[in-house]
Amino acid sequence: MMRVAIIGNSHVGAYLLARGAIEVAFPSVSLSFFALPRHSFSSCIYDERGVLHACEAGHPKLPRQIDLSAQEAILMVGQSFALEGLARMMSEFDLLGGHSTGKTRSVSAPLVSAFLDHRVARYCHKLAEFLRNDARCVVAPAPYPAANAPGLDTGAAHCSQHPEAPRLLRLWQDTVSRHMTGLHYGLMVQPDELTDGPGFSPARYSRAANLPAGQAPTAADYTHMNAEYGFAHFDAFARHWLGILPAGHPHSPRKEHDHGLGPQ
């Protein structure tokens, strides 16, 4: 069995929901999970024995620590790579030479590029220190908000909904890729099949798509993904980074659930 840990913040939830489907499709993989809210996760301690410890209380059903020394691969999900910093800038300024959003102040493209370079470099430096540049670790950015999301007051949404989104997000992605090449971590960029235009995830992958009838979605239900996304993202990770194909034809978690094989 190949031991794989999926660690990170609240975005780990999509993989927890898809666990049954993943284990059916990838019987040679043994999964472990470790999740905390974003700021609590970043405060964890990684000791000399290879154990990652939570410093703050998390969900009572999730472990307070995980022994990463026993893992052969680590998928760290939900990382922002300073996208919220870019979003805050673009919420206050228009981009010179770009589409006007009616703001009273503008910022030049070179200044945006320099700002991003600084913020992403600092983020990647902290990331390198977090698990001491462990080469077993592949890092995945947080998914984009759903394409049908209303106007959300979140970092990723501010960028996705900006008229210069293609240009801004391409600059951000290029900056992240450049700085990550200096680390031993792998970088798993968002697979094309899990995006719906620049900065959006297909609506069917959002948690909002699976809420019970009559339950109104919150903002988090458009930025957190469901089991179908968790399965599809892990499938892409396993194929590219682990060199493992699903046993037989890949199935969505909903199909697995319909046949009694896993969670919806």
Side-chain angles (χ1 to χ4, degrees):
M1 297 286 283
M2 176 177 283
R3 297 181 297 275
V4 178
I6 301 178
I7 66 174
N9 48 36
S10 56
H11 290 286
V12 172
Y15 309 87
L16 280 166
L17 290 171
R19 181 175 192 168
I22 293 171
E23 290 175 341
V24 168
F26 297 92
S28 64
V29 170
S30 174
L31 292 176
S32 298
F33 296 90
F34 182 83
L36 288 166
R38 181 175 62 174
H39 298 297
S40 298
F41 179 72
S42 63
S43 70
C44 289
I45 294 176
Y46 190 42
D47 70 22
E48 66 281 354
R49 296 177 295 115
V51 178
L52 187 63
H53 300 266
C55 294
E56 302 174 29
H59 193 284
K61 292 185 178 180
L62 291 175
R64 294 292 309 279
Q65 64 182 41
I66 183 172
D67 184 0
L68 294 179
S69 69
Q71 307 297 322
E72 294 165 79
I74 303 165
L75 176 61
M76 185 190 298
V77 303
Q79 301 308 296
S80 71
F81 286 102
L83 185 58
E84 69 280 359
L86 174 62
R88 282 195 295 270
M89 172 179 276
M90 300 320 300
S91 69
E92 299 180 20
F93 298 90
D94 272 344
L95 190 62
L96 279 174
H99 292 81
S100 173
T101 62
K103 295 182 176 65
T104 58
R105 297 180 295 174
S106 298
V107 63
S108 69
L111 183 56
V112 173
S113 181
F115 171 80
L116 259 183
D117 189 68
H118 170 73
R119 291 295 297 269
V120 172
R122 188 171 65 176
Y123 191 97
C124 289
H125 175 72
K126 291 181 178 179
L127 190 64
E129 291 182 330
F130 185 69
L131 293 181
R132 297 191 291 274
N133 228 347
D134 194 323
R136 296 171 299 162
C137 188
V138 174
V139 184
Y144 296 122
N148 65 334
L152 301 176
D153 189 24
T154 66
H158 280 312
C159 285
S160 300
Q161 295 161 357
H162 195 280
E164 291 292 335
R167 182 179 177 184
L168 292 169
L169 290 170
R170 184 167 56 250
L171 175 62
W172 171 72
Q173 290 169 351
D174 290 346
T175 306
V176 170
S177 296
R178 176 162 48 83
H179 283 287
M180 283 293 288
T181 58
L183 306 184
H184 293 299
Y185 296 141
L187 172 65
M188 182 177 173
V189 298
Q190 193 73 338
D192 289 342
E193 62 271 20
L194 297 184
T195 62
D196 188 3
F200 288 106
S201 296
R204 71 180 185 277
Y205 288 133
S206 74
R207 197 166 62 188
N210 296 110
L211 292 177
Q215 182 175 332
T218 65
D221 294 318
Y222 291 102
T223 57
H224 288 91
M225 301 294 114
N226 58 21
E228 188 177 359
Y229 173 91
F231 179 86
H233 192 272
F234 185 87
D235 179 52
F237 166 71
R239 290 169 183 265
H240 182 78
W241 295 97
L242 305 181
I244 301 175
L245 297 177
H249 299 292
H251 298 289
S252 74
R254 179 173 294 277
K255 291 178 181 176
E256 300 284 1
H257 177 75
D258 292 341
H259 289 85
L261 300 177
Q264 183 171 317

